[in-house]
Amino acid sequence: MKLLRNTLLETFVTVVECGGFTDAQYALGITQSAISIRIRDLETALGYRICERGRGGFRLTERGEIAYRKAGDILRSARDFDAELLELRGTTTGDLRIGTIDAVNTLAELNLAQVLKRFLDRPNEVQLEVVVASPTELTQKLITGDLHVAIAPFRNQVPELTYTELCQEEHRLYCGQDHPLFDLPDDQIDLDVISQHQICQRSYNILVSPVLQTAQPKATVANMEAMAMMIETGHFLGPLPVHFIKNWAHRDRLRELAPDKLNWNSTFYLATRPSLAQRRAVEILVQDIVKSCKRGQES
Amino acid sequence: MKLLRNTLLETFVTVVECGGFTDAQYALGITQSAISIRIRDLETALGYRICERGRGGFRLTERGEIAYRKAGDILRSARDFDAELLELRGTTTGDLRIGTIDAVNTLAELNLAQVLKRFLDRPNEVQLEVVVASPTELTQKLITGDLHVAIAPFRNQVPELTYTELCQEEHRLYCGQDHPLFDLPDDQIDLDVISQHQICQRSYNILVSPVLQTAQPKATVANMEAMAMMIETGHFLGPLPVHFIKNWAHRDRLRELAPDKLNWNSTFYLATRPSLAQRRAVEILVQDIVKSCKRGQES
DNA sequence: TGTTCACATGAGGTATTTTTATGTAAATAA
DNA sequence: TTATTTACATAAAAATACCTCATGTGAACA
């Protein structure tokens, strides 16, 4: 049910996402002619062409590009508006857009999958959407309203958002089985030896180089699996979360290096925009997450 | 022309503002029955009653109150959205909501009336709205998008907004003709004498008491005319902008006190939200204001 | 050159919305 | 008490908007 329905804008956005009228038919549940008319009407209202279409392919015009972005924004806030008003009725409804960094599913203390399961088990009409991005992107998306909640090790906390501490994540340094250090006995491995080797750096979160005082890292990755793969090549050392290794298929092909000397902790936070915390759906999910984390730490 | 037209919400907001269906007919240009149906439809969609109506008078329910506020917000941002998309067409259009503190019209260096005149003289379809409020309220309204630009002596500047310095405003201390100090020769008036008397304090802006080290002020006003009237009672001394006095009808009934020792300057700023500065209408107005101020200072 | 693809257009029908006319209930007046 | 007015609700008819179906058009491609 839609309070703030706007057929023209919704059509436009769907058409862009489907890459043309023909496919959008099925997404919108109307015929291609209806779409054609709606887009024409929108263009008439705007006074300029928003997209080129036809046999040559579908393409947004320059202005159409801007219009598309703005339309997406306003439709998102319209959906939130709907949800807010409908929740006054007593039901839990609307979109719930959650963001995390990658590889959170193996964080035992949090157990996000379990939390989501519990949330979905409750009677509600909420539509979940999960986005994976870097902490910086998550922060941005929270502020613009793209996301309702996000979970990540937020190092730079901004005043617009509220943060709740969730749990710790321990990182250690690893090498692959083809790496020269793989077969070296423990007593021959110290920081000096380690610092002779190339490090693969994650583009956010743990910074290894300062501790080891190695040169600029030759490789940078923005994803945990990518990091694991780079390490598996045997060319790089790299930090990985302990919980991640436990679930990594080839964990026997990786070796921890000086775990007692080299380990880093990052704190995971749950972030929300205070104004959105009013939404019942958001409220419930946040409580679920926090509760799950407390339980995770006790056990 | 409306891109994001929402008949139900617009009807609701108008009905609330008109205080009932009957008056809203004329505002909306439809019959009372249509309004009745629209409100019923909105209530059906929401699942709860938003207002009590009938012979006993019109009244919002508790939830209706919340819905009304949220509806106002979303409609405002919908209008802004419209304006942004329509301006891509090349025309200058949309709402332009300006906020100031009171008594800016006599600020010779700024000459806001002249600026607005010039703006309206240009060919455009912009709808102006001017709001007068305190700096704190103006800041709030800018952040929420209630206002596009505001002019005031912003002492507490927040990072969400951008500020442009405009001009200075000089305040001096005055007394009314019935005040004991009114007829005292200049050489008998010094800070000690002055500090014996009651001060009328403005609820924001110039703080007189710290300088004079007088007791807590007995009277507080939130408006320049109110201040002038309090001073005219002969019971209070109070600060007023010099430019304001020049245009005050009863300026011969007021007397400046120790203008060489007691004068305060406040700096006027123009504040906008960076994201809104993109709007052509906002851009043009801001340029007009800044230009007018520069001219004002030269002459 | 003909065919196909992706959209545009027009006629006709269906849905939605509005108006007109009238009904109802509460407050006020007689 | 009863009549009247006020403010809104409702039903049916009228008007309008919207969609589908059938068909047209023009660019790309075989």
Side-chain angles (χ1 to χ4, degrees):
Chain A
M1 180 193 309
K2 296 246 172 78
L3 287 172
L4 229 158
R5 105 231 94 118
N6 188 289
T7 32
L8 296 195
L9 293 181
E10 258 151 27
T11 307
F12 177 40
V13 169
T14 309
V15 164
V16 174
E17 279 159 7
C18 293
F21 295 12
T22 316
D23 283 359
Q25 287 181 93
Y26 313 108
L28 288 166
I30 54 170
T31 57
Q32 169 267 316
S33 5
I35 295 176
S36 175
I37 294 165
R38 284 185 184 179
I39 295 293
R40 172 167 55 71
D41 287 353
L42 180 58
E43 288 183 329
T44 312
L46 286 171
Y48 51 87
R49 209 170 167 74
I50 50 176
C51 58
E52 299 300 336
R53 59 265 193 190
R55 188 70 181 82
F58 180 88
R59 217 187 69 252
L60 283 173
T61 63
E62 202 174 326
R63 290 157 165 180
E65 199 77 64
I66 300 171
Y68 170 63
R69 269 199 303 279
K70 288 189 192 286
D73 291 349
I74 198 88
L75 287 179
R76 221 173 293 116
S77 59
R79 280 206 300 279
D80 286 347
F81 167 82
D82 268 29
E84 285 167 24
L85 285 198
L86 289 175
E87 286 197 343
L88 289 180
R89 193 177 56 181
T91 54
T92 312
T93 182
D95 290 7
L96 187 43
R97 300 186 290 274
I98 309 163
T100 71
I101 56 158
D102 64 325
V104 284
N105 58 320
T106 54
L107 249 178
E109 281 152 301
L110 176 53
N111 201 345
L112 190 56
Q114 187 62 38
V115 173
L116 293 180
K117 178 189 180 318
R118 191 175 316 131
F119 184 85
L120 292 166
D121 283 346
R122 295 176 200 274
N124 66 48
E125 298 157 37
V126 176
Q127 194 148 6
L128 279 187
E129 192 183 324
V130 180
V131 170
V132 175
S134 73
T136 322
E137 287 169 325
L138 292 175
T139 302
Q140 199 53 46
K141 283 175 193 291
L142 280 168
I143 291 171
T144 59
D146 259 16
L147 289 177
H148 296 123
V149 292
I151 298 169
F154 292 105
R155 314 180 91 67
N156 302 318
Q157 305 197 351
V158 298
E160 289 94 328
L161 306 177
T162 50
Y163 298 88
T164 315
E165 196 175 321
L166 288 182
C167 59
Q168 298 287 118
E169 182 185 49
E170 191 184 356
H171 290 246
R172 294 184 188 157
L173 198 65
Y174 292 84
C175 73
Q177 66 180 357
D178 297 332
H179 196 277
L181 294 184
F182 191 81
D183 296 312
L184 223 59
D186 272 340
D187 55 6
Q188 288 183 38
I189 294 179
D190 60 17
L191 296 189
D192 276 346
V193 173
I194 290 173
S195 63
Q196 303 302 310
H197 297 271
Q198 288 283 354
I199 300 281
C200 179
Q201 177 65 57
R202 196 142 193 229
S203 57
Y204 55 92
N205 209 354
I206 301 302
L207 279 170
V208 175
S209 357
V211 183
L212 291 175
Q213 298 185 294
T214 57
Q216 278 295 83
K218 268 257 174 59
T220 310
V221 297
N223 173 288
M224 212 68 94
E225 288 202 34
M227 172 67 89
M229 284 188 291
M230 291 303 274
I231 297 172
E232 276 203 69
T233 65
H235 284 268
F236 298 98
L237 308 179
L240 283 171
V242 176
H243 67 83
F244 182 78
I245 291 296
K246 282 189 191 141
N247 297 73
W248 182 244
H250 314 314
R251 60 180 165 281
D252 49 327
R253 298 192 206 153
L254 297 177
R255 178 187 173 179
E256 267 182 25
L257 297 173
D260 46 339
K261 290 175 209 148
L262 290 175
N263 59 73
W264 302 267
N265 265 292
S266 53
T267 311
F268 269 70
Y269 295 90
L270 180 148
T272 54
R273 212 172 45 167
S275 62
L276 284 170
Q278 298 168 354
R279 279 274 310 282
R280 180 190 311 262
V282 175
E283 212 175 317
I284 291 177
L285 183 77
V286 166
Q287 285 172 5
D288 277 3
I289 293 174
V290 172
K291 219 182 293 171
S292 160
C293 248
K294 282 216 185 100
R295 231 196 317 274
Q297 284 166 350
E298 283 161 13
S299 62
Chain B
M1 180 194 309
K2 297 252 172 72
L3 287 172
L4 226 157
R5 104 231 95 114
N6 188 287
T7 34
L8 297 195
L9 292 181
E10 258 151 26
T11 306
F12 177 40
V13 169
T14 309
V15 164
V16 174
E17 278 159 6
C18 293
F21 296 12
T22 316
D23 284 359
Q25 289 182 90
Y26 313 108
L28 288 165
I30 54 170
T31 56
Q32 169 266 318
S33 2
I35 295 175
S36 176
I37 293 166
R38 285 186 184 178
I39 294 292
R40 172 169 55 72
D41 288 352
L42 180 58
E43 287 182 329
T44 311
L46 285 171
Y48 51 87
R49 209 169 167 75
I50 49 176
C51 57
E52 300 299 336
R53 60 267 194 189
R55 188 70 180 82
F58 180 89
R59 216 187 69 252
L60 284 173
T61 64
E62 202 173 325
R63 290 158 165 180
E65 199 77 64
I66 301 170
Y68 170 63
R69 269 199 303 279
K70 289 190 192 285
D73 290 349
I74 198 88
L75 287 179
R76 222 172 292 115
S77 59
R79 281 207 300 280
D80 286 348
F81 167 81
D82 269 29
E84 285 167 24
L85 285 198
L86 290 175
E87 286 198 342
L88 289 179
R89 194 177 56 183
T91 54
T92 312
T93 181
D95 289 9
L96 187 43
R97 300 186 289 273
I98 309 163
T100 71
I101 55 158
D102 66 326
V104 285
N105 59 320
T106 54
L107 249 178
E109 281 152 300
L110 176 54
N111 201 345
L112 189 58
Q114 187 62 39
V115 172
L116 293 181
K117 178 190 181 320
R118 190 175 316 130
F119 184 85
L120 291 167
D121 284 347
R122 295 176 200 274
N124 66 47
E125 297 158 37
V126 176
Q127 193 146 8
L128 278 187
E129 192 183 323
V130 181
V131 169
V132 175
S134 73
T136 321
E137 287 168 325
L138 292 175
T139 301
Q140 199 52 45
K141 282 174 195 292
L142 280 169
I143 291 171
T144 59
D146 261 15
L147 290 176
H148 297 122
V149 291
I151 297 169
F154 291 105
R155 313 178 92 69
N156 301 318
Q157 304 196 350
V158 298
E160 290 94 329
L161 306 176
T162 51
Y163 298 87
T164 315
E165 196 174 321
L166 288 181
C167 58
Q168 298 287 117
E169 182 185 49
E170 191 185 355
H171 290 245
R172 292 182 189 160
L173 198 65
Y174 292 84
C175 72
Q177 66 180 356
D178 297 332
H179 196 276
L181 294 183
F182 192 80
D183 296 312
L184 224 59
D186 274 340
D187 55 4
Q188 289 185 37
I189 293 179
D190 60 18
L191 296 188
D192 275 347
V193 173
I194 290 174
S195 62
Q196 302 303 310
H197 297 272
Q198 288 282 354
I199 300 281
C200 179
Q201 177 65 57
R202 198 147 191 222
S203 56
Y204 55 92
N205 208 352
I206 300 302
L207 279 169
V208 175
S209 354
V211 183
L212 291 174
Q213 299 186 295
T214 58
Q216 278 296 82
K218 268 256 176 60
T220 310
V221 297
N223 171 288
M224 212 67 95
E225 288 201 34
M227 173 67 90
M229 283 188 292
M230 291 304 273
I231 297 172
E232 275 203 70
T233 64
H235 284 268
F236 298 99
L237 308 178
L240 282 172
V242 177
H243 68 83
F244 182 77
I245 291 296
K246 282 190 191 140
N247 297 72
W248 182 245
H250 313 315
R251 59 180 166 283
D252 49 328
R253 298 193 205 153
L254 297 176
R255 179 189 171 176
E256 267 181 25
L257 296 173
D260 45 339
K261 290 174 210 147
L262 290 176
N263 59 74
W264 302 267
N265 265 291
S266 52
T267 311
F268 270 70
Y269 296 90
L270 181 148
T272 53
R273 211 172 45 170
S275 62
L276 284 169
Q278 300 168 352
R279 277 275 309 283
R280 181 190 311 263
V282 176
E283 212 175 318
I284 291 177
L285 183 78
V286 167
Q287 285 172 3
D288 277 3
I289 293 174
V290 172
K291 218 183 292 170
S292 161
C293 247
K294 282 215 185 103
R295 232 197 316 274
Q297 284 166 350
E298 283 161 12
S299 62

